[in-house]
Each structure stands twice: as C-alpha cells, then as structure tokens.
Amino acid sequence: MSPDRPHRPLRAAVVGAGGIARSSHLPALRTLAAEGETDVVAVVDVDDTAVRAFADAFRIPHASTDLDAMLAEVRPDLVVLCTPPAVHREQSVAALRAGAWVWCEKPPCPSLADYDAVEAEEKGGDGDPYASIVFQHRFGSGARHVRRLLREGAFGRPLVAHCQTTWYRDTAYYSVPWRGRWATEGGGPAMGHGIHQTDLLLDLMGPWTEVRGMAARLVHDVETEDVSTAQIRFADSAVGTVVNSVLSPDEVSRIRIDCELATIELTHLYGYRNADWRITPAPGVPEETVTGWHDFGEDEPSSHLAQLRALVADIRAGRRHATSGAGGRRTLEFISALYKSAFTDAPVRAGDIGPGDPYYTALHGDAPGWAPAGPDQEEDPA
C-alpha cells in the first residue's frame, strides 16, 4: 500500500473462526476498526455452521468455507490466519497471490521449506504484500524499552541469558487428536508453546551461532517431545539456555539477561506489562542512570493489538514488518536447529539447515524414535 494513497481502513479477512480468532485477533481488529484503521469484511472457516455463526455474531458481511472464492470475490488487503500450522503455507501463498498482506498466527509453518515457499511468493519490495508472523511479545512497551537500551549499549555487553517457558498441560489436553502430532501441531513445547519467549529472547540478544539441544517424552503419549532444553552461543559470544516444558505445575514464562552493568528480568505467563520487567544495576552504576533505565514510559502490554497496530503502520508506510521475511525466519530456524541437535546429539550452527537436509522439510527430520509412525503402525496419541 503506497504511502501516498488516500488513508482508508485496511479491509481484513479472518481465516479460522476458532478460539484464538475470537479471543485475540478479532478484538484487535475491532479496536483498530474503531480508530479507522481496519475493517473486517470477511471470515472463512471449513465449518459452515461455525463461520456463519461467527459472521452473524460480529456483523461481518461475508462468510465462506472457500478461501480462494473469498479472495477472488472480496479482494481483502490483509488476511489474518488463525488456522493450524499445517495449512499456513497453502493459505499464505493463496493470499499473497491474491495481492493481500498476511498476518499468520504462530507457529509460522511446520518447516523451513514451507516458510521459504511462502516467502518465495512475495514480490520482494518493502511496499509489496508480504507474510508476517504473530510474535506479539516483541511489541509491548517493556520489550521496546529494553531492546533500545541493549542496542545502545546502555547495559554494557550481554553475557548470559536464560529463557524458560515452563507450563503445564494435562492428559486431557492431549486427548484432542491433532495435538502432540508433528503434522497437525507442528511440534511440541519448543514449537507450539515456548516459541513466543524464544522469539523475544532472540529479538533482544541478536543473532545466534550455535545450539546444542536435548528433548524427551517424559509424561505424555505423543509423537513430539513434552520437554526440551538448549544451550546457545550468540554472535557476540554471549551464552544462554532455553527450557520449554508442558510438565511444570508452577507455570511461568521468564527471560533473564545478565550484562556487564545490569541484570534484566521479565517474569510473566501469557503476556506482560511494564511492571513485569525488573532491571538490577551492578555495583557502582550511578543512580541517575538507573532512574533512566526504570523509565519505561506509557504502559503498552504485549498483545495482538500492539503488534497489529505496528503491522498496519508498516503496511501504510510501505516498509517491512519486523516479523516478516528474515525477521520471522530466524526464530523458526533456531527451533529447527534445536530439534536437529536434540535428535542427532550434535551441535547445529546457524545456516546449517537447508535444502537436502531432512530437518529442512520436517522438524522431526525422520529421526528414529521421533518421526511419525507409518500408516500401519500409527496410533492415536489419545
């Protein structure tokens, strides 16, 4: 969308009429609609009853069970994907070919090959339609403040980082047939649960160079892991750890970064506010410096709304959104490397996974004991 075009609401279509659309995407779209930035013009879902109920409840003029037909008839500016990861590639490609920008719920795609296929459909110009991923934790005011200070070198050199997503999911959670399966959930907690914290860690710390991972199935009868750990080396020589779990009754999401002059900590569960961040200075840091560090400004929680507002502004300005292209791929590449390292018991370096590598096309990499069972052996994980 060229910045010199008349300002008008972006015409948005929601694909997937399930819980995440109702709880997160639609409220964000409707808030921006009230500000004249978006207009929800269509909803698509494979369930005819569900899509019509969704459209009726939220007064959306066009309801359809056919994505291609909707794209041809409605011609939306923005397609918001609230669907399972297994269909993200084909739906993103369809939307891009129809000339729409894409905002896709995490996980982005089941593999780097799928992600690259989506990116290949983009025309390449910053002002041309592109696909972006929902990584909303980058967009709260706390992350913006800390990221700026880290980039400016205010805390000195980052040295040690810790990232944990330790949540709890019971047996009933995995009784839903599509959960815990590579093809339909895209991965275990490293992919489906901890991806938000991992993405924020990488956004704050910068490029990584090496990962050494471990994964296990300790409780749940699933194809994927239910816990993983990783050691990371970053390009600036800092080191870090990542823990992802669905086995942890005391649930928490946490990031800690120890720098030369301060420790930065974020502790929350599913979203943060400014008060969830803590900055502890090293001895000798001047009090006036610390006072400036603690000035986070106006509190904007991490949320779909915060990211959508930034995405709409980027589309209008004809610039790349932070979670599109390479900005979204780096997190999926890291998670792919974590799985490869865990399943091969060997370190994986950034850039190692490409065409011809089994982990480029599937996160399980056809590893014995981890790849899905064949048709004659497959069992329902429930």
Side-chain angles (χ1 to χ4, degrees):
M1 179 168 289
S2 172
D4 59 0
R5 290 184 186 176
H7 190 97
R8 63 170 177 80
L10 293 182
R11 301 172 69 255
V14 176
V15 183
I20 191 68
R22 288 175 176 267
S23 66
S24 299
H25 295 85
L26 192 64
L29 286 163
R30 296 181 82 187
T31 296
L32 290 190
E35 299 171 6
E37 295 292 343
T38 60
D39 181 16
V40 183
V41 295
V43 59
V44 177
D45 195 278
V46 293
D47 186 325
D48 182 67
T49 301
V51 75
R52 295 192 181 282
F54 192 98
D56 289 344
F58 300 108
R59 299 180 181 179
I60 300 171
H62 187 98
S64 176
T65 58
D66 187 325
L67 174 60
D68 291 332
M70 184 279 293
L71 290 170
E73 182 177 347
V74 178
R75 309 295 297 182
D77 301 308
L78 174 65
V79 172
V80 180
L81 297 182
C82 312
T83 49
V87 295
H88 286 172
R89 171 178 174 169
E90 63 181 88
Q91 292 178 342
S92 296
V93 166
L96 288 167
R97 287 179 177 174
W101 281 265
V102 176
W103 191 37
C104 179
E105 184 56 62
K106 63 83 184 170
C109 290
S111 71
L112 286 168
D114 289 327
Y115 190 96
D116 289 348
V118 171
E119 193 174 2
E121 292 296 330
E122 300 174 2
K123 293 180 180 179
D126 290 349
D128 295 318
Y130 50 72
S132 56
I133 309 303
V134 175
F135 285 141
Q136 73 270 23
H137 287 341
R138 295 195 206 180
F139 296 90
S141 52
R144 288 198 302 269
H145 178 67
V146 168
R147 181 171 53 243
R148 178 180 61 81
L149 292 173
L150 283 166
R151 296 291 183 271
E152 292 174 352
F155 302 127
R157 190 161 54 99
L159 303 171
V160 184
H162 306 276
C163 176
Q164 70 178 95
T165 304
T166 43
W167 295 353
Y168 186 79
R169 299 294 182 266
D170 60 14
T171 302
Y173 176 85
Y174 284 103
S175 67
V176 178
W178 60 267
R179 286 183 175 147
R181 292 178 178 267
W182 296 107
T184 48
E185 196 168 23
M191 179 69 159
H193 302 83
I195 191 170
H196 282 308
Q197 289 301 115
T198 300
D199 178 75
L200 179 55
L201 176 74
L202 298 178
D203 184 56
L204 295 174
M205 291 293 293
W208 62 276
T209 58
E210 181 182 343
V211 60
R212 298 169 184 256
M214 296 181 69
R217 297 186 194 103
L218 298 182
V219 173
H220 297 294
D221 183 14
V222 292
E223 290 180 348
T224 65
E225 85 287 4
D226 55 17
V227 63
S228 69
T229 64
Q231 296 175 305
I232 319 166
R233 191 179 304 280
F234 294 93
D236 63 359
S237 299
V239 295
T241 62
V242 174
V243 179
N244 299 300
S245 167
V246 288
L247 310 178
S248 308
D250 183 8
E251 295 186 293
V252 69
S253 303
R254 178 179 291 125
I255 286 177
R256 171 177 170 140
I257 302 173
D258 295 316
C259 301
E260 292 175 307
L261 300 177
T263 292
I264 305 104
E265 293 177 276
L266 167 64
T267 304
H268 66 113
L269 188 53
Y270 297 134
Y272 62 78
R273 307 186 73 94
N274 287 349
D276 297 317
W277 294 80
R278 186 173 67 175
I279 301 175
T280 304
V285 175
E287 185 175 339
E288 59 270 23
T289 298
V290 177
T291 299
W293 289 350
H294 289 158
D295 183 8
F296 281 75
E298 184 178 352
D299 192 1
E300 182 176 23
S302 63
S303 65
H304 285 68
L305 174 60
Q307 182 175 2
L308 182 60
R309 183 171 277 123
L311 173 60
V312 169
D314 287 338
I315 291 172
R316 292 198 182 283
R319 62 177 174 244
R320 272 277 175 182
H321 187 60
T323 70
S324 68
R329 191 185 193 277
R330 69 179 181 196
T331 299
L332 182 57
E333 182 189 5
F334 174 83
I335 293 169
S336 302
L338 189 161
Y339 279 119
K340 180 176 180 178
S341 177
F343 299 161
T344 62
D345 194 27
V348 177
R349 290 171 176 80
D352 278 358
I353 302 175
D357 188 311
Y359 291 88
Y360 181 69
T361 52
L363 292 182
H364 54 72
D366 290 324
W370 288 101
D376 296 333
Q377 303 156 302
E378 188 171 358
E379 297 179 358
D380 191 320

